[in-house]
Amino acid sequence: MNDTLVDDTTCTGEDTTGEDTCTGATGNDAVDQILSQWARVRPDVDCTAMGVAGRISRASRLLEKGIKEYFSEHDLEPWEFDVLATLFRSNPDHRLCMSDLATAAMVSSAALTNRVDRLVAKELVRREVSPSNRRMVLITLTDEGRAVVDALLAGHVANEERLLAGLTDEDRAQLSGLLCKLLASLGDVRPC
């Protein structure tokens, strides 16, 4: 959903009387405004799917922005933390072969090579050839890389809690289940 808005209003969750306004097609967020515009110019097209996809896309961008701001305070890119955290939680050796790391990071081998090069330069990971298979490259978290993950994990989770503060625990569980179901239907790795 790449429609440009005339007025970029957002849903605050409450109207001026304090009542919840985000319970459906209320006309109170930017996506509702887009849907309203489409309904006016093309009433023959049901744009309900556009509303769902648009809200997921907008939420993703806003969450990514909040996450990026947290990591930039620590001179780190979110993708850097993602690679380090993947290695940290993967196994006791904090080591993965490039292909497994690329799969876990959901990036191409070429993109991962560039990312690993940058992390090697920062001395956060080490690249080595597997002793059992000379064609396999292993990426291992260094002590410094482990220290970075240890130092930033709690703050990262607290930042995500802050970003999701508008949702109750029940809301989060329901949304998480629905997003899991959507991801599985789109071919994500494991069904829910």
PDB file of all heavy atoms in Angstrom, residues 9-16 19-37 48 51 55:
ATOM      1  N   THR A   9      -3.072  11.727   9.144  1.00  0.00           N
ATOM      2  CA  THR A   9      -3.576  11.563  10.505  1.00  0.00           C
ATOM      3  C   THR A   9      -3.289  10.156  10.980  1.00  0.00           C
ATOM      4  O   THR A   9      -3.165   9.242  10.193  1.00  0.00           O
ATOM      5  CB  THR A   9      -5.106  11.808  10.555  1.00  0.00           C
ATOM      6  OG1 THR A   9      -5.693  11.229   9.407  1.00  0.00           O
ATOM      7  CG2 THR A   9      -5.431  13.261  10.672  1.00  0.00           C
ATOM      8  N   THR A  10      -3.186   9.994  12.273  1.00  0.00           N
ATOM      9  CA  THR A  10      -2.930   8.671  12.833  1.00  0.00           C
ATOM     10  C   THR A  10      -3.961   8.356  13.892  1.00  0.00           C
ATOM     11  O   THR A  10      -4.527   9.240  14.515  1.00  0.00           O
ATOM     12  CB  THR A  10      -1.524   8.594  13.468  1.00  0.00           C
ATOM     13  OG1 THR A  10      -1.435   9.610  14.463  1.00  0.00           O
ATOM     14  CG2 THR A  10      -0.445   8.768  12.438  1.00  0.00           C
ATOM     15  N   CYS A  11      -4.151   7.083  14.102  1.00  0.00           N
ATOM     16  CA  CYS A  11      -5.104   6.637  15.109  1.00  0.00           C
ATOM     17  C   CYS A  11      -4.429   6.689  16.467  1.00  0.00           C
ATOM     18  O   CYS A  11      -3.385   6.087  16.667  1.00  0.00           O
ATOM     19  CB  CYS A  11      -5.547   5.212  14.786  1.00  0.00           C
ATOM     20  SG  CYS A  11      -6.732   4.562  15.954  1.00  0.00           S
ATOM     21  N   THR A  12      -5.011   7.401  17.391  1.00  0.00           N
ATOM     22  CA  THR A  12      -4.427   7.514  18.721  1.00  0.00           C
ATOM     23  C   THR A  12      -4.972   6.474  19.672  1.00  0.00           C
ATOM     24  O   THR A  12      -4.445   6.271  20.742  1.00  0.00           O
ATOM     25  CB  THR A  12      -4.715   8.905  19.328  1.00  0.00           C
ATOM     26  OG1 THR A  12      -6.126   9.053  19.436  1.00  0.00           O
ATOM     27  CG2 THR A  12      -4.119  10.001  18.472  1.00  0.00           C
ATOM     28  N   GLY A  13      -6.060   5.821  19.256  1.00  0.00           N
ATOM     29  CA  GLY A  13      -6.661   4.823  20.126  1.00  0.00           C
ATOM     30  C   GLY A  13      -7.790   5.390  20.965  1.00  0.00           C
ATOM     31  O   GLY A  13      -8.555   4.658  21.545  1.00  0.00           O
ATOM     32  N   GLU A  14      -7.885   6.708  21.074  1.00  0.00           N
ATOM     33  CA  GLU A  14      -8.956   7.320  21.832  1.00  0.00           C
ATOM     34  C   GLU A  14      -9.456   8.554  21.102  1.00  0.00           C
ATOM     35  O   GLU A  14      -8.686   9.247  20.455  1.00  0.00           O
ATOM     36  CB  GLU A  14      -8.466   7.763  23.216  1.00  0.00           C
ATOM     37  CG  GLU A  14      -8.081   6.641  24.133  1.00  0.00           C
ATOM     38  CD  GLU A  14      -7.691   7.144  25.512  1.00  0.00           C
ATOM     39  OE1 GLU A  14      -7.597   8.372  25.701  1.00  0.00           O
ATOM     40  OE2 GLU A  14      -7.484   6.313  26.393  1.00  0.00           O
ATOM     41  N   ASP A  15     -10.742   8.822  21.191  1.00  0.00           N
ATOM     42  CA  ASP A  15     -11.241  10.093  20.683  1.00  0.00           C
ATOM     43  C   ASP A  15     -11.222  11.087  21.843  1.00  0.00           C
ATOM     44  O   ASP A  15     -10.719  10.793  22.922  1.00  0.00           O
ATOM     45  CB  ASP A  15     -12.640   9.942  20.053  1.00  0.00           C
ATOM     46  CG  ASP A  15     -13.719   9.541  21.058  1.00  0.00           C
ATOM     47  OD1 ASP A  15     -13.467   9.652  22.271  1.00  0.00           O
ATOM     48  OD2 ASP A  15     -14.801   9.136  20.608  1.00  0.00           O
ATOM     49  N   THR A  16     -11.726  12.275  21.639  1.00  0.00           N
ATOM     50  CA  THR A  16     -11.661  13.295  22.682  1.00  0.00           C
ATOM     51  C   THR A  16     -12.500  12.949  23.903  1.00  0.00           C
ATOM     52  O   THR A  16     -12.316  13.535  24.959  1.00  0.00           O
ATOM     53  CB  THR A  16     -12.104  14.668  22.121  1.00  0.00           C
ATOM     54  OG1 THR A  16     -13.408  14.516  21.542  1.00  0.00           O
ATOM     55  CG2 THR A  16     -11.128  15.165  21.084  1.00  0.00           C
ATOM     56  N   GLU A  19     -13.004   7.418  24.403  1.00  0.00           N
ATOM     57  CA  GLU A  19     -13.464   6.127  23.916  1.00  0.00           C
ATOM     58  C   GLU A  19     -12.498   5.569  22.882  1.00  0.00           C
ATOM     59  O   GLU A  19     -11.886   6.300  22.115  1.00  0.00           O
ATOM     60  CB  GLU A  19     -14.860   6.275  23.302  1.00  0.00           C
ATOM     61  CG  GLU A  19     -15.922   6.617  24.329  1.00  0.00           C
ATOM     62  CD  GLU A  19     -17.304   6.663  23.716  1.00  0.00           C
ATOM     63  OE1 GLU A  19     -17.535   5.973  22.717  1.00  0.00           O
ATOM     64  OE2 GLU A  19     -18.141   7.396  24.255  1.00  0.00           O
ATOM     65  N   ASP A  20     -12.393   4.238  22.863  1.00  0.00           N
ATOM     66  CA  ASP A  20     -11.534   3.539  21.915  1.00  0.00           C
ATOM     67  C   ASP A  20     -12.065   3.741  20.506  1.00  0.00           C
ATOM     68  O   ASP A  20     -13.230   3.521  20.240  1.00  0.00           O
ATOM     69  CB  ASP A  20     -11.499   2.047  22.266  1.00  0.00           C
ATOM     70  CG  ASP A  20     -10.535   1.252  21.400  1.00  0.00           C
ATOM     71  OD1 ASP A  20      -9.861   1.854  20.559  1.00  0.00           O
ATOM     72  OD2 ASP A  20     -10.472   0.028  21.584  1.00  0.00           O
ATOM     73  N   THR A  21     -11.172   4.191  19.593  1.00  0.00           N
ATOM     74  CA  THR A  21     -11.603   4.437  18.214  1.00  0.00           C
ATOM     75  C   THR A  21     -10.930   3.508  17.215  1.00  0.00           C
ATOM     76  O   THR A  21     -11.106   3.658  16.020  1.00  0.00           O
ATOM     77  CB  THR A  21     -11.295   5.895  17.805  1.00  0.00           C
ATOM     78  OG1 THR A  21      -9.891   6.114  17.933  1.00  0.00           O
ATOM     79  CG2 THR A  21     -12.077   6.875  18.646  1.00  0.00           C
ATOM     80  N   CYS A  22     -10.139   2.561  17.676  1.00  0.00           N
ATOM     81  CA  CYS A  22      -9.384   1.697  16.769  1.00  0.00           C
ATOM     82  C   CYS A  22      -9.942   0.284  16.731  1.00  0.00           C
ATOM     83  O   CYS A  22      -9.204  -0.685  16.661  1.00  0.00           O
ATOM     84  CB  CYS A  22      -7.915   1.657  17.179  1.00  0.00           C
ATOM     85  SG  CYS A  22      -7.092   3.224  17.014  1.00  0.00           S
ATOM     86  N   THR A  23     -11.220   0.140  16.763  1.00  0.00           N
ATOM     87  CA  THR A  23     -11.809  -1.195  16.821  1.00  0.00           C
ATOM     88  C   THR A  23     -12.340  -1.663  15.482  1.00  0.00           C
ATOM     89  O   THR A  23     -12.965  -2.691  15.398  1.00  0.00           O
ATOM     90  CB  THR A  23     -12.944  -1.229  17.853  1.00  0.00           C
ATOM     91  OG1 THR A  23     -13.889  -0.215  17.514  1.00  0.00           O
ATOM     92  CG2 THR A  23     -12.415  -1.008  19.252  1.00  0.00           C
ATOM     93  N   GLY A  24     -12.089  -0.935  14.440  1.00  0.00           N
ATOM     94  CA  GLY A  24     -12.584  -1.341  13.131  1.00  0.00           C
ATOM     95  C   GLY A  24     -12.424  -0.211  12.148  1.00  0.00           C
ATOM     96  O   GLY A  24     -11.583   0.653  12.315  1.00  0.00           O
ATOM     97  N   ALA A  25     -13.234  -0.210  11.112  1.00  0.00           N
ATOM     98  CA  ALA A  25     -13.147   0.822  10.089  1.00  0.00           C
ATOM     99  C   ALA A  25     -13.816   2.086  10.607  1.00  0.00           C
ATOM    100  O   ALA A  25     -14.971   2.355  10.343  1.00  0.00           O
ATOM    101  CB  ALA A  25     -13.814   0.348   8.811  1.00  0.00           C
ATOM    102  N   THR A  26     -13.063   2.848  11.393  1.00  0.00           N
ATOM    103  CA  THR A  26     -13.631   4.015  12.055  1.00  0.00           C
ATOM    104  C   THR A  26     -13.331   5.311  11.331  1.00  0.00           C
ATOM    105  O   THR A  26     -13.887   6.333  11.687  1.00  0.00           O
ATOM    106  CB  THR A  26     -13.076   4.121  13.493  1.00  0.00           C
ATOM    107  OG1 THR A  26     -11.658   4.279  13.394  1.00  0.00           O
ATOM    108  CG2 THR A  26     -13.422   2.906  14.309  1.00  0.00           C
ATOM    109  N   GLY A  27     -12.418   5.297  10.376  1.00  0.00           N
ATOM    110  CA  GLY A  27     -12.040   6.531   9.703  1.00  0.00           C
ATOM    111  C   GLY A  27     -11.092   7.379  10.515  1.00  0.00           C
ATOM    112  O   GLY A  27     -10.993   8.567  10.294  1.00  0.00           O
ATOM    113  N   ASN A  28     -10.381   6.773  11.473  1.00  0.00           N
ATOM    114  CA  ASN A  28      -9.541   7.550  12.369  1.00  0.00           C
ATOM    115  C   ASN A  28      -8.042   7.389  12.159  1.00  0.00           C
ATOM    116  O   ASN A  28      -7.284   8.095  12.789  1.00  0.00           O
ATOM    117  CB  ASN A  28      -9.873   7.204  13.825  1.00  0.00           C
ATOM    118  CG  ASN A  28     -11.225   7.730  14.212  1.00  0.00           C
ATOM    119  OD1 ASN A  28     -11.546   8.865  13.907  1.00  0.00           O
ATOM    120  ND2 ASN A  28     -12.013   6.910  14.854  1.00  0.00           N
ATOM    121  N   ASP A  29      -7.613   6.468  11.343  1.00  0.00           N
ATOM    122  CA  ASP A  29      -6.181   6.391  11.096  1.00  0.00           C
ATOM    123  C   ASP A  29      -5.915   6.635   9.615  1.00  0.00           C
ATOM    124  O   ASP A  29      -6.830   6.761   8.806  1.00  0.00           O
ATOM    125  CB  ASP A  29      -5.576   5.079  11.611  1.00  0.00           C
ATOM    126  CG  ASP A  29      -5.926   3.851  10.776  1.00  0.00           C
ATOM    127  OD1 ASP A  29      -6.720   3.967   9.835  1.00  0.00           O
ATOM    128  OD2 ASP A  29      -5.401   2.777  11.084  1.00  0.00           O
ATOM    129  N   ALA A  30      -4.643   6.749   9.283  1.00  0.00           N
ATOM    130  CA  ALA A  30      -4.257   7.078   7.907  1.00  0.00           C
ATOM    131  C   ALA A  30      -4.736   6.026   6.915  1.00  0.00           C
ATOM    132  O   ALA A  30      -5.118   6.359   5.791  1.00  0.00           O
ATOM    133  CB  ALA A  30      -2.743   7.252   7.823  1.00  0.00           C
ATOM    134  N   VAL A  31      -4.734   4.770   7.313  1.00  0.00           N
ATOM    135  CA  VAL A  31      -5.176   3.704   6.416  1.00  0.00           C
ATOM    136  C   VAL A  31      -6.675   3.833   6.153  1.00  0.00           C
ATOM    137  O   VAL A  31      -7.133   3.659   5.020  1.00  0.00           O
ATOM    138  CB  VAL A  31      -4.805   2.314   6.974  1.00  0.00           C
ATOM    139  CG1 VAL A  31      -5.385   1.209   6.103  1.00  0.00           C
ATOM    140  CG2 VAL A  31      -3.291   2.172   7.085  1.00  0.00           C
ATOM    141  N   ASP A  32      -7.438   4.143   7.199  1.00  0.00           N
ATOM    142  CA  ASP A  32      -8.870   4.362   6.989  1.00  0.00           C
ATOM    143  C   ASP A  32      -9.112   5.496   6.000  1.00  0.00           C
ATOM    144  O   ASP A  32     -10.032   5.438   5.186  1.00  0.00           O
ATOM    145  CB  ASP A  32      -9.575   4.680   8.311  1.00  0.00           C
ATOM    146  CG  ASP A  32      -9.868   3.438   9.133  1.00  0.00           C
ATOM    147  OD1 ASP A  32      -9.997   2.349   8.530  1.00  0.00           O
ATOM    148  OD2 ASP A  32      -9.968   3.555  10.361  1.00  0.00           O
ATOM    149  N   GLN A  33      -8.290   6.520   6.069  1.00  0.00           N
ATOM    150  CA  GLN A  33      -8.439   7.639   5.138  1.00  0.00           C
ATOM    151  C   GLN A  33      -8.180   7.172   3.701  1.00  0.00           C
ATOM    152  O   GLN A  33      -8.928   7.522   2.784  1.00  0.00           O
ATOM    153  CB  GLN A  33      -7.491   8.770   5.503  1.00  0.00           C
ATOM    154  CG  GLN A  33      -7.697  10.000   4.628  1.00  0.00           C
ATOM    155  CD  GLN A  33      -6.838  11.159   5.071  1.00  0.00           C
ATOM    156  OE1 GLN A  33      -6.024  11.044   5.961  1.00  0.00           O
ATOM    157  NE2 GLN A  33      -7.040  12.291   4.425  1.00  0.00           N
ATOM    158  N   ILE A  34      -7.154   6.360   3.511  1.00  0.00           N
ATOM    159  CA  ILE A  34      -6.860   5.822   2.178  1.00  0.00           C
ATOM    160  C   ILE A  34      -8.022   4.964   1.685  1.00  0.00           C
ATOM    161  O   ILE A  34      -8.469   5.087   0.544  1.00  0.00           O
ATOM    162  CB  ILE A  34      -5.547   5.007   2.195  1.00  0.00           C
ATOM    163  CG1 ILE A  34      -4.353   5.924   2.414  1.00  0.00           C
ATOM    164  CG2 ILE A  34      -5.380   4.205   0.899  1.00  0.00           C
ATOM    165  CD1 ILE A  34      -3.063   5.190   2.710  1.00  0.00           C
ATOM    166  N   LEU A  35      -8.525   4.101   2.556  1.00  0.00           N
ATOM    167  CA  LEU A  35      -9.646   3.236   2.178  1.00  0.00           C
ATOM    168  C   LEU A  35     -10.882   4.060   1.822  1.00  0.00           C
ATOM    169  O   LEU A  35     -11.610   3.731   0.877  1.00  0.00           O
ATOM    170  CB  LEU A  35      -9.958   2.244   3.289  1.00  0.00           C
ATOM    171  CG  LEU A  35      -8.866   1.215   3.591  1.00  0.00           C
ATOM    172  CD1 LEU A  35      -9.245   0.365   4.788  1.00  0.00           C
ATOM    173  CD2 LEU A  35      -8.553   0.363   2.382  1.00  0.00           C
ATOM    174  N   SER A  36     -11.104   5.103   2.572  1.00  0.00           N
ATOM    175  CA  SER A  36     -12.232   5.988   2.283  1.00  0.00           C
ATOM    176  C   SER A  36     -12.088   6.647   0.910  1.00  0.00           C
ATOM    177  O   SER A  36     -13.048   6.759   0.149  1.00  0.00           O
ATOM    178  CB  SER A  36     -12.335   7.051   3.379  1.00  0.00           C
ATOM    179  OG  SER A  36     -13.343   7.969   3.080  1.00  0.00           O
ATOM    180  N   GLN A  37     -10.869   7.051   0.601  1.00  0.00           N
ATOM    181  CA  GLN A  37     -10.616   7.662  -0.707  1.00  0.00           C
ATOM    182  C   GLN A  37     -10.865   6.655  -1.826  1.00  0.00           C
ATOM    183  O   GLN A  37     -11.485   6.991  -2.840  1.00  0.00           O
ATOM    184  CB  GLN A  37      -9.183   8.205  -0.770  1.00  0.00           C
ATOM    185  CG  GLN A  37      -8.965   9.408   0.120  1.00  0.00           C
ATOM    186  CD  GLN A  37      -7.491   9.758   0.294  1.00  0.00           C
ATOM    187  OE1 GLN A  37      -6.600   8.972  -0.025  1.00  0.00           O
ATOM    188  NE2 GLN A  37      -7.251  10.948   0.825  1.00  0.00           N
ATOM    189  N   THR A  48     -10.560  -4.193   1.466  1.00  0.00           N
ATOM    190  CA  THR A  48     -10.328  -4.668   2.830  1.00  0.00           C
ATOM    191  C   THR A  48      -8.916  -5.224   3.003  1.00  0.00           C
ATOM    192  O   THR A  48      -8.235  -4.923   3.987  1.00  0.00           O
ATOM    193  CB  THR A  48     -11.369  -5.749   3.206  1.00  0.00           C
ATOM    194  OG1 THR A  48     -12.678  -5.218   2.993  1.00  0.00           O
ATOM    195  CG2 THR A  48     -11.217  -6.181   4.649  1.00  0.00           C
ATOM    196  N   GLY A  51      -6.361  -2.630   3.486  1.00  0.00           N
ATOM    197  CA  GLY A  51      -6.326  -2.087   4.841  1.00  0.00           C
ATOM    198  C   GLY A  51      -5.461  -2.909   5.771  1.00  0.00           C
ATOM    199  O   GLY A  51      -4.657  -2.368   6.539  1.00  0.00           O
ATOM    200  N   ARG A  55      -1.823  -1.574   7.160  1.00  0.00           N
ATOM    201  CA  ARG A  55      -1.544  -1.411   8.588  1.00  0.00           C
ATOM    202  C   ARG A  55      -0.318  -2.219   9.009  1.00  0.00           C
ATOM    203  O   ARG A  55       0.489  -1.761   9.824  1.00  0.00           O
ATOM    204  CB  ARG A  55      -2.771  -1.801   9.410  1.00  0.00           C
ATOM    205  CG  ARG A  55      -3.843  -0.738   9.369  1.00  0.00           C
ATOM    206  CD  ARG A  55      -4.990  -1.023  10.338  1.00  0.00           C
ATOM    207  NE  ARG A  55      -5.903   0.101  10.322  1.00  0.00           N
ATOM    208  CZ  ARG A  55      -6.994   0.173   9.529  1.00  0.00           C
ATOM    209  NH1 ARG A  55      -7.293  -0.821   8.723  1.00  0.00           N
ATOM    210  NH2 ARG A  55      -7.759   1.238   9.562  1.00  0.00           N
TER     211      ARG A  55
END
